Amino acid sequence: MTQTSIRDMLYESPGPKAKKRIRFFTGLALILLAALLALVIRQFAVTGQFAEKYWSFFARFTTWRFLGEGLLTTLEAALTGSAIAFILGFLLMRGKLRRNRILRAVSTALIEFTRGVPTLLFIYFFFLVVPKTGWKPSAFWKITLPCAISACGVVAEALRSGVNAVPRGQTEAALSLGLTETRLFYKVVFPQAFRFVIPSLIAELVIVLKDTTFAYIVTCADLMQNAKVLISNYDAMLSVYLVVAVIYILINYLLNKISDRLALKLRRTAAEGSKA
Amino acid sequence: MSIQALLTEYGDKYLQALLTTWRLTVISFAAAFLIGIVITVLRVCPIRPLRMFGDFYVQIFRNIPGAALLILLVYALPYLQIIFPYDACVLIATILIPSAFCSEHLMSGMNTISPGQIEAARALGLTFFQMIRRIIIPQALRSTVLPMTNLLVATMLTTSLASQVPMRPRDLTGLVSYINTRAAGGVAAFVISAALYCATALVIGAVGSLIDRKVRILR
Amino acid sequence: MSQSETPVIELKNVNKHFGDLHVLQDVSLSVKKGEVVVIIGPSGSGKSTLCRTINRLETIDSGEILIEGEPVPQEGRKLAELRSRIGMVFQSFNLFAHMSILDNLTLAPVDVLKIPRKEAREEAMKLLERVGVADQAKKVPAQLSGGQQQRAAIARALAMHPKAMLFDEPTSALDPEMIGEVLSVMTELASEGMTMLIVTHEMNFARQVADRVIFMDGGKIIEENTPDAFFEHPASERAQNFLKTIRDH
C-alpha cells in the first residue's frame, strides 16, 4: 500500500453535506484566487509594466547568455563553497567526536560560532577587514569563503548525526575483528554515515546558493550582479528581478526535490533493512 | 581598535543594535509562526485549490534567497506602485521566509502521528475539532520543539537582512559595517556583534532542548 | 419484546469497491444483543473492511448498516455520537502516544460523554484493574509491551460503556507470548454478555467464545454456522481448504 500521509487522513471521507460544502468552498476559493491573480495582473497593466520594452530583450539570446554566465558563477560559488564547507565540517565533526577534551571543546565552539552568526557578517568581514590585512582575495573568494565558513558548522552537525545513526553493533563487530579505530571510521562508519546525510548536504547546498546572492556586496559577477547590469542597460527593474527570482526559486526547488527523493529512498531502504 | 575602546565609544549603539535584532527576531518569528499555522491549515484542508495555494506559497518562500526577496520588495515593487518603508520591507522578508519553513516543520510534525491514532479518536466519538485539539496539535507541537528552536535561530540570522537597507536603528550586522566604514573598527567590531549573535543563539538553543526534553513523546 | 429482537448491528446487502476491486459483495449479517460473532477468512477476504464499515471508518457504496435499528449517520455530530456507543479495538492498538494510559482512558469519557474528570478517573482505574494493567496507568504507551497496550486499548473502549465492541484482528500485531493475555480479557468480556464482533485468526479462541462463526472469502460471506458445526463440518469447499491450511501450520 502507498504511504498514507496525514494530509489524506485528517479529514474522513465526506458525507453528502460535507461533499456539498467542499464543492461550495472549492468554487469560492477558485474565485478568490482568480481575483487575486486578476488584481496582480491589473497592477502590472495599470503601472505599464507589461510594456514591450520591459520584456522584449528576454527574446534575445545575448540576454540569456549574460544571465547564464552569472548563473554559472553563482553555481560555481555555491558548489565550491559547499565543497569547502564539507571539508571544514568534516574536520569539525572529527574534532567533536574525539576523546581529547581540548580538541572537542574547540570544535564545539567553532561549530556553535559558525551556526550562530549570520552569513552577512562573515561576508562583511571578508569585504571590509580581510583586504586590510594585505591578503587580497578575488571577488569570487570574497563571497565563496564566507558562505563556506557560515555553512561548515551545520555540515559538521549533519555529519555527526549521520555517524551517530550508524548502528553500534557494527562498530563493535569491526573492532572485534581487529580493525584500528581510524580504519574502522573510514572503512565502515563514514561511508554509511555519508549515505545518510546526502539529503541534508544537498539541502545545505541550497542554503549556500541562497547566501551567494549577497555577492553584489563584493561585486562578484554572479546571477544577481549580472541582473543589475541588465537593469541599468534596459531600465527594466521589475521584469529582470522577477525573472531572476524565478530562476533562483526553480533551481532551489529542484535541489530540494532531489534531496527529498533521496531522503525518502534512504528511509525506505532502512525500513526494509530493519524488516529483513 | 580594541574591544574595550570600541565598547566605550559604541557601547550604547551595540546595545541598541542588539535590541533591534532581538525585536526583529521576535516579531518575525511570532508572525511567521501564525502565518505558518494558517498555511498549514490550508495545506491539509480538503479544498484542493487552497491546498495547492499553500504548497505554492511554501515552495516560493522556502526557495527564494532572502536578498532576492528583499530587493524585490524594496526596489521592484515600487514600479507597481506598491511602496513600503524600509523597515516594513525587511520585516515582510523576515516573516515570509521563516513562515514557509514553519509550515514545513508543522507538516512533518503532524506526519509523526500514526494514522491509527486518528482512527482511534474517530472511533471513540471525538468530533473533528476535538481530535485536532486533543490529538493532532499537542503531538505536532511537541515533536517540533527542536525544529522550531532552529527556526528561531534561523530567523535571527535572517534579520541581518536589515543591514542591506538604510534602516534606523541599525541591527547588529548593519552596525558593524557602519563602524567599519567610519572608523577602523577592525576585527574587534565583528567579534562583539558575533558574540552577541552567538550568545543569543546559545540561549535559544539551550531553552529549546530543555523544553524538548520535557515534552518529547516516546515512540 | 420487539426491542430485544432488534439486532445491535445489522448489515443489509453492503457493497464496497476499492477501485476495481469488489471488496464487499452483497454482505448481510446481524449481531443480536449479547451475541459473540467471529469472522474468519483468508487475508484479503474483506473481513477487516467489513468490521471497519460498521462505524464508518470505511464508507460503503451501497446497502445499509443499522445500529440498534437506526442507519449509521454519514457525518457530523450524529456520526460521532454513534461511534461513541460502539467500542473498537485495532490491530495496532492506536493508543494516543502523547498521553498516559490513564489519560487515554479518560479523554473520550470527559470530552465526549461529559463525565466529570474525577469520576472518569475512578472508573478508568477500575477498568485498568480489570484488564490487569492498573500499575501502568501513569506510563505512556511506548513504555508498555504490546499485550499491555492492547489490554489498555480494550479498557479505553470499555470506558465509553459501548453497546457493542468491534475487534479488528486484535492479536495479529502481537508477539506469540502476549496473545493469550489479550484473548483472556476478551473471553472474560464475552462471558459477561458483551455484544462482540471479532475479526481474528485465532481459531481455538473463535471456537471457544463464538456463538456464531462467519467465514468470508473474496468479499463474500461463504458460510455462517455455530462454531462446532463450522469447525467439524465446514460445508463449503473454500472453508474446508482454509481450515486445512490453518491446521497444517
Side-chain angles (χ1 to χ4, degrees):
Chain A
M1 227 190 265
T2 48
Q3 202 184 357
T4 43
S5 78
I6 203 85
R7 265 183 122 150
D8 312 304
M9 272 295 302
L10 209 50
Y11 292 83
E12 55 186 310
S13 13
K17 269 191 216 153
K19 269 190 189 139
K20 245 187 239 164
R21 228 175 303 147
I22 290 171
R23 261 202 301 275
F24 172 75
F25 282 109
T26 302
L28 191 67
L30 280 175
I31 291 169
L32 283 177
L33 290 175
L36 192 71
L37 192 67
L39 207 68
V40 172
I41 292 171
R42 198 194 80 108
Q43 204 63 22
F44 270 75
V46 169
T47 53
Q49 285 298 322
F50 283 131
E52 211 203 324
K53 62 166 180 167
Y54 292 134
W55 300 93
S56 58
F57 56 89
F58 282 115
R60 272 180 230 152
F61 174 67
T62 47
T63 306
W64 289 105
R65 198 180 59 194
F66 190 57
L67 284 177
E69 280 164 10
L71 180 59
L72 222 57
T73 310
T74 292
L75 293 178
E76 212 178 311
L79 286 171
T80 315
S82 296
I84 297 170
F86 180 76
I87 295 166
L88 294 177
F90 182 82
L91 294 174
L92 288 176
M93 176 270 288
R94 286 295 275 164
K96 194 170 173 174
L97 290 176
R98 277 291 155 85
R99 295 224 180 79
N100 184 326
R101 208 178 276 174
I102 297 168
L103 207 58
R104 216 165 55 201
V106 170
S107 306
T108 308
L110 283 175
I111 288 170
E112 295 304 326
F113 175 73
T114 55
R115 289 205 313 165
V117 173
T119 314
L120 264 172
L121 208 58
F122 289 118
I123 294 173
Y124 276 119
F125 186 80
F126 273 79
F127 179 50
L128 298 170
V129 177
V130 166
K132 285 180 192 156
T133 62
W135 176 39
K136 293 205 163 48
S138 69
F140 178 80
W141 290 109
K142 271 197 247 175
I143 184 67
T144 304
L145 286 176
C147 289
I149 291 169
S150 174
C152 71
V154 181
V155 171
E157 286 296 277
L159 290 175
R160 196 171 64 97
S161 73
V163 168
N164 286 339
V166 176
R168 276 263 166 253
Q170 290 193 16
T171 53
E172 277 158 17
L175 280 176
S176 71
L177 288 174
L179 249 69
T180 63
E181 277 198 46
T182 314
R183 295 204 40 167
L184 164 77
F185 184 82
Y186 287 102
K187 293 259 161 180
V188 181
V189 177
F190 192 67
Q192 294 186 63
F194 185 70
R195 260 166 40 95
F196 290 143
V197 298
I198 291 173
S200 25
L201 291 181
I202 297 176
E204 198 50 37
L205 174 64
V206 171
I207 295 174
V208 175
L209 196 139
K210 283 183 188 170
D211 282 343
T212 61
T213 45
F214 291 117
Y216 62 82
I217 296 174
V218 297
T219 54
C220 168
D222 77 328
L223 178 58
M224 200 57 127
Q225 183 68 20
N226 280 10
K228 272 192 171 175
V229 177
L230 273 187
I231 287 166
S232 53
N233 280 357
Y234 295 104
D235 188 30
M237 179 87 81
L238 185 69
S239 57
V240 172
Y241 273 145
L242 268 184
V243 167
V244 166
V246 169
I247 293 174
Y248 274 116
I249 290 169
L250 285 180
I251 292 173
N252 291 337
Y253 174 77
L254 220 68
L255 288 172
N256 276 324
K257 261 266 136 42
I258 294 171
S259 158
D260 290 348
R261 276 282 161 77
L262 285 175
L264 194 70
K265 219 172 111 186
L266 276 173
R267 251 196 317 250
R268 285 234 180 95
T269 30
E272 272 160 31
S274 68
K275 244 184 254 162
Chain B
M1 257 175 150
S2 72
I3 289 180
Q4 220 157 19
L6 265 174
L7 279 180
T8 23
E9 199 174 338
Y10 294 105
D12 50 340
K13 281 229 153 80
Y14 266 112
L15 181 65
Q16 206 178 26
L18 177 65
L19 291 177
T20 305
T21 291
W22 282 358
R23 184 173 53 87
L24 286 173
T25 305
V26 170
I27 295 173
S28 302
F29 185 75
F33 198 82
L34 288 179
I35 295 174
I37 289 173
V38 172
I39 291 295
T40 308
V41 170
L42 294 186
R43 289 174 80 192
V44 297
C45 83
I47 295 153
R48 200 167 279 270
L50 294 182
R51 267 188 186 208
M52 283 159 65
F53 174 78
D55 285 347
F56 184 71
Y57 176 97
V58 167
Q59 289 311 334
I60 294 289
F61 293 113
R62 187 184 142 173
N63 289 316
I64 195 168
L69 180 57
L70 186 66
I71 286 172
L72 272 177
L73 289 166
V74 174
Y75 299 108
L77 278 195
Y79 284 88
L80 293 174
Q81 285 166 11
I82 302 168
I83 301 164
F84 296 112
Y86 285 126
D87 47 352
C89 288
V90 170
L91 267 180
I92 292 171
T94 58
I95 288 169
L96 292 183
I97 291 174
S99 75
F101 286 96
C102 174
S103 174
E104 288 289 74
H105 294 327
L106 289 175
M107 288 292 269
S108 47
M110 285 204 292
N111 272 322
T112 61
I113 306 167
S114 61
Q117 290 185 49
I118 296 175
E119 290 198 330
R122 264 179 212 150
L124 283 168
L126 265 67
T127 62
F128 177 74
F129 287 106
Q130 283 172 331
M131 172 190 82
I132 294 288
R133 198 164 53 86
R134 303 302 305 267
I135 310 298
I136 306 293
I137 292 179
Q139 292 197 54
L141 286 185
R142 285 167 67 165
S143 55
T144 46
V145 172
L146 282 187
M148 288 302 175
T149 310
N150 290 337
L151 181 63
L152 181 53
V153 173
T155 306
M156 177 186 75
L157 301 183
T158 311
T159 64
S160 64
L161 277 176
S163 63
Q164 301 304 296
V165 297
M167 195 186 95
R168 300 292 175 273
R170 291 183 176 82
D171 78 313
L172 280 174
T173 304
L175 182 65
V176 171
S177 74
Y178 165 77
I179 292 175
N180 260 284
T181 43
R182 264 193 52 171
V187 182
F190 284 90
V191 169
I192 298 171
S193 270
L196 292 173
Y197 273 119
C198 262
T200 310
L202 283 176
V203 170
I204 294 171
V207 173
S209 32
L210 202 74
I211 296 174
D212 179 61
R213 233 170 298 142
K214 279 240 166 90
V215 304
R216 186 181 297 164
I217 301 165
L218 223 62
R219 279 179 209 284
Chain C
M1 283 313 279
S2 80
Q3 196 157 18
S4 64
E5 281 159 22
T6 314
V8 182
I9 299 168
E10 189 172 17
L11 280 75
K12 291 181 185 167
N13 307 102
V14 169
N15 279 285
K16 180 176 178 67
H17 299 256
F18 279 133
D20 289 338
L21 220 60
H22 199 169
V23 285
L24 294 178
Q25 304 183 20
D26 250 351
V27 172
S28 299
L29 96 106
S30 70
V31 183
K32 290 198 289 278
K33 191 168 190 312
E35 205 179 12
V36 176
V37 175
V38 171
I39 305 179
I40 58 173
S43 55
S45 60
K47 54 192 192 308
S48 210
T49 309
L50 170 70
C51 183
R52 291 158 52 82
T53 59
I54 292 165
N55 58 0
R56 204 187 176 275
L57 289 181
E58 299 278 1
T59 55
I60 57 174
D61 299 338
S62 66
E64 230 184 333
I65 298 176
L66 306 169
I67 303 295
E68 296 184 305
E70 282 174 44
V72 174
Q74 290 189 290
E75 58 200 325
R77 267 177 194 288
K78 283 203 173 136
L79 174 60
E81 196 272 328
L82 172 118
R83 283 169 170 167
S84 73
R85 286 187 282 139
I86 305 285
M88 181 143 189
V89 176
F90 301 86
Q91 182 178 341
S92 49
F93 333 134
N94 297 344
L95 291 169
F96 304 128
H98 62 306
M99 295 178 171
S100 70
I101 297 300
L102 186 61
D103 289 342
N104 261 281
L105 261 73
T106 57
L107 172 72
V110 171
D111 276 28
V112 177
L113 303 180
K114 313 291 177 201
I115 293 172
R117 188 169 298 274
K118 192 165 166 275
E119 208 174 297
R121 277 174 169 265
E122 282 164 11
E123 159 112 42
M125 282 313 295
K126 268 185 215 149
L127 284 168
L128 288 176
E129 202 87 52
R130 206 168 121 193
V131 300
V133 289
D135 49 338
Q136 316 285 331
K138 291 270 151 53
K139 292 186 184 165
V140 293
Q143 292 170 302
L144 271 61
S145 73
Q148 290 172 325
Q149 286 195 52
Q150 192 61 300
R151 284 184 280 154
I154 294 173
R156 176 174 70 175
L158 290 175
M160 296 297 282
H161 300 285
K163 294 273 161 58
M165 290 275 284
L166 307 173
F167 293 84
D168 183 8
E169 304 199 22
T171 56
S172 298
L174 292 174
D175 292 334
E177 72 272 18
M178 292 170 184
I179 292 176
E181 60 192 61
V182 171
L183 292 181
S184 78
V185 168
M186 289 168 67
T187 309
E188 200 188 309
L189 209 57
S191 70
E192 285 162 14
M194 174 61 79
T195 310
M196 294 160 82
L197 183 73
I198 304 165
V199 175
T200 188
H201 292 288
E202 298 296 326
M203 297 303 147
N204 290 333
F205 167 75
R207 192 161 183 176
Q208 193 189 332
V209 303
D211 295 315
R212 197 144 45 90
V213 172
I214 290 176
F215 175 72
M216 273 186 85
D217 192 14
K220 285 187 211 138
I221 291 181
I222 308 289
E223 242 184 283
E224 201 172 337
N225 215 332
T226 60
D228 285 338
F230 175 79
F231 285 108
E232 296 299 331
H233 312 288
S236 67
E237 200 178 321
R238 282 203 248 184
Q240 286 161 13
N241 286 338
F242 175 71
L243 288 175
K244 192 167 171 296
T245 46
I246 294 263
R247 281 196 195 111
D248 288 348
H249 269 285

